[in-house]
């Protein structure tokens, strides 16, 4: 039987492991956290819920990796806006049978990633039940006013870029990916980002979020897709392409810039990860894939979508 | 078989029902919401997760009441800081078998309460699984700088007050209670609130949050407890007292003020609900109940606490 303990003890344990917040911020242990906004900075707010059996399973996940992923997917949303993460609220539905050490391990994985990205865990809610683990994180970020990068500002002629490699997340990196916070900041400092999104549903689906929200069309070229080298060599080329287009949870950044800025990025990639020019935004409608023979196929929303 | 539909369709349905946010606020449909902070205002942030089978069951709850409660408990946290609610992020784990109409009903109950309190639903996360309903809300509020009322500022000699009536929430009002947002604002405008908390764990437990955080003691008098008239008449007086002390989820406000301000509140209650003077803060340690014979018993943390 796993060791039982009480909610208040878990909260105290979490408090001891979360670095004291700066003076302007009241944290865990009151009805709400208090944050003093900074002049000239916008607030970015996002939330994601992860459920055992859907977003992770034990194994291959460990409790630490489940906690880590719950924060990482939220940081990826802040990265997609080119923001700087600030603080997080963490809610847990803990399986009663797994006891106290399990709960601490989940929080430890989350807190370790929070430290790496200077995020304060400023509040939350702990519960137990007989169901599986559910973790919800709500994250707050900040960005200089009017410098958040939305999905809706892609322009005719823009070049489309993606960071890193695509496909095969579930088999390789969905528990361990690095949210592209630093990369988004470096990109914003070097070029004028027009539209940006993180790839959570899959490239095909997320590109269509940009085209729909921006009222534009897009063409990307199959031969330029940075297909993840970790994909099984037993797959056919068509299967690998399909995975790079539609596997979810790559959490890479998909963005558009002017051709001039795009040229600059190709000549001098400021990141320590690959940066790939996939195609262009046009004034049409819909997103298309140009195949090696020059033919174009519509990119249906083939990304991961929850069937209710 | 309940009608199935897709995540994006549910999100679009939610968008059509959430009033367009003011110009300074970017809402559902991007990676994060964007909020422009207001000068001289602090941000209050809280989160609560509700799980089917733990915080509500169907019946007596309806999907609408479950959604309503998920927001209401968060608004109660904002009330406890005497803040004004601003916006909410909503995460759902939806039981696949219950289909689309169920999901919409949950959101409708939540959105109706949001409108009543002028809260914008600015983002969220929808998921389905084979488990029970889980709803997480993260709420943001605002308060004039340095006017948020924490738990840690109760002072020797303060009078202790509570709004409304206590006990029996599970049988009567845990699904339908009104978060004390308006009451907290009226109180803050009339008197200098020293410490405040909402009663979620139970009076005995929540009073001890105030005494512990403030480094003070407290005595409340049993004969002054505003015991809920809805409690079953089959209960003994001792059982009714115990329920008023330790039933959770009353979501009334427990607060302290100076004796002079307390006198003012007794003479001129600004609220349309009862306001009761329960006892006093002292310079000692621990919280005690003074019984009708004058003897004092320690109020152990007898409120509701999750056993992990």
């Amino acid at each position: 039987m796993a060791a039982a303990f009480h909610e208040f003890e878990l909260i105290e344990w979490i408090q001891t492991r979360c670095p004291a917040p700066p003076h302007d911020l009241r944290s865990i242990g009151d009805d709400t956290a208090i944050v003093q906004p900074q002049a000239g900075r916008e607030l970015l707010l996002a939330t994601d819920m992860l459920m055992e059996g859907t977003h992770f399973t034990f194994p291959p996940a460990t409790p630490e990796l489940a906690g880590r992923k719950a924060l990482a997917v939220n940081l990826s949303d802040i990265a997609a806006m080119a923001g700087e993460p600030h603080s997080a609220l963490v809610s847990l539905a803990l399986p009663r049978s797994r006891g106290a050490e399990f709960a601490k391990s989940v929080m430890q994985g989350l807190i370790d990633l929070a430290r790496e990205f200077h995020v304060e865990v400023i509040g939350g809610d702990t519960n137990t039940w007989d169901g599986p683990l559910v973790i919800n994180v709500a994250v707050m970020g900040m960005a200089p006013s009017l410098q958040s990068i939305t999905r809706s500002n892609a322009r005719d002629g823009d070049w489309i870029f993606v960071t890193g490699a695509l496909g095969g997340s579930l088999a390789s990196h969905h528990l361990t990916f690095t949210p592209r916070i630093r990369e988004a900041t470096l990109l914003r400092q070097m070029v004028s980002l027009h539209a940006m999104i993180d790839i959570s549903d899959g490239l095909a689906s997320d590109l269509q979020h940009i085209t729909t929200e921006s009222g534009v069309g897009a063409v990307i070229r199959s031969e330029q897709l940075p297909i993840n080298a970790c994909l099984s060599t037993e797959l056919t080329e068509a299967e690998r392409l399909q995975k790079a287009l539609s596997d979810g949870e790559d959490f890479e950044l998909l963005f558009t810039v002017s051709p001039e800025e795009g040229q600059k990025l190709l000549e001098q990639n400021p990141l320590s990860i690959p940066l790939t020019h996939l195609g262009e935004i046009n004034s049409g409608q819909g997103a298309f894939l140009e195949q090696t023979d020059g033919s174009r196929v519509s990119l249906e929303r083939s990304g991961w979508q929850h069937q209710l």
Side-chain angles (χ1 to χ4, degrees), chain A:
Chain A
M1 180 64 191
F5 72 146
H6 287 88
E7 180 184 3
F8 297 133
E9 289 165 14
L10 176 59
I11 294 170
E12 280 162 19
W13 182 92
I14 294 169
Q15 278 180 304
T16 62
R17 264 140 195 96
C18 292
H23 66 283
D24 69 340
L25 191 149
R26 192 171 177 93
S27 185
I28 303 170
D30 218 304
D31 295 294
T32 75
I34 303 176
V35 174
Q36 194 65 53
Q38 294 164 19
R41 307 263 280 172
E42 290 175 341
L43 304 172
L44 309 175
L45 296 162
T47 193
D48 269 304
M49 178 181 278
L50 301 194
M51 296 111 69
E52 181 182 348
T54 301
H55 301 92
F56 56 85
T57 50
F58 300 118
T62 61
E64 288 85 354
L65 286 175
R68 181 192 189 281
K69 180 175 180 179
L71 179 60
V73 298
N74 277 280
L75 296 186
S76 186
D77 283 325
I78 298 294
M81 306 294 277
E84 180 187 324
H86 181 277
S87 48
L89 304 166
V90 182
S91 301
L92 298 170
L94 294 161
R96 197 172 277 117
S97 62
R98 289 206 175 103
E101 290 310 309
F102 174 85
K104 291 179 181 174
S105 298
V106 170
M107 283 307 300
Q108 192 64 59
L110 190 150
I111 290 167
D112 287 346
L113 187 70
R115 286 191 176 152
E116 186 181 336
F117 284 95
H118 310 293
V119 177
E120 310 281 350
V121 176
I122 59 171
D125 184 31
T126 58
N127 306 275
T128 55
W129 69 340
D130 295 322
L133 177 64
V134 180
I135 316 173
N136 192 88
V137 173
V139 73
M140 187 172 79
M142 295 189 182
S145 282
L146 306 180
Q147 291 190 34
S148 298
I149 314 301
T150 66
R151 302 173 175 181
S152 57
N153 200 27
R155 304 172 199 169
D156 182 16
D158 274 2
W159 286 14
I160 303 167
F161 278 85
V162 72
T163 60
L166 301 178
S169 175
L170 191 61
S172 65
H173 55 278
H174 80 110
L175 291 167
T176 55
F177 73 91
T178 301
R180 299 305 189 195
I181 293 284
R182 300 180 193 101
E183 289 76 10
T185 302
L186 288 169
L187 288 169
R188 191 186 64 195
Q189 288 167 350
M190 182 166 167
V191 295
S192 168
L193 298 165
H194 288 175
M196 188 154 66
I197 192 171
D198 65 319
I199 297 183
S200 54
D201 294 331
L203 171 61
S205 181
D206 289 316
L207 178 59
Q208 284 172 94
H209 284 305
I210 287 181
T211 55
T212 304
E213 295 289 320
S214 300
V216 295
V219 176
I220 58 174
R221 287 174 289 276
S222 63
E223 66 197 27
Q224 284 176 292
L225 289 195
I227 297 175
N228 195 328
C230 299
L231 283 179
S232 166
T233 52
E234 292 174 13
L235 297 173
T236 65
E237 198 54 40
E239 285 167 338
R240 292 156 59 85
L241 180 65
Q242 182 59 34
K243 289 182 81 65
L245 283 170
S246 64
D247 278 3
E249 307 219 337
D250 278 321
F251 298 109
E252 295 293 349
L253 296 172
L254 179 68
F255 62 93
T256 81
V257 292
S258 72
E260 298 72 29
E261 301 270 47
Q263 194 59 46
K264 203 162 123 189
L265 287 176
L266 288 185
E267 286 162 10
Q268 190 184 350
N269 175 358
L271 313 181
S272 56
I273 57 172
L275 201 46
T276 307
H277 174 201
L278 293 180
E280 289 80 33
I281 297 291
N282 58 49
S283 61
Q285 279 199 327
F288 292 84
L289 179 72
E290 186 173 291
Q291 301 177 103
T292 46
D293 64 3
S295 65
R296 290 182 178 185
V297 292
S298 170
L299 285 170
E300 296 295 318
R301 274 183 174 172
S302 52
W304 183 62
Q305 193 181 147
H306 310 284
Q307 178 78 37
L308 292 195

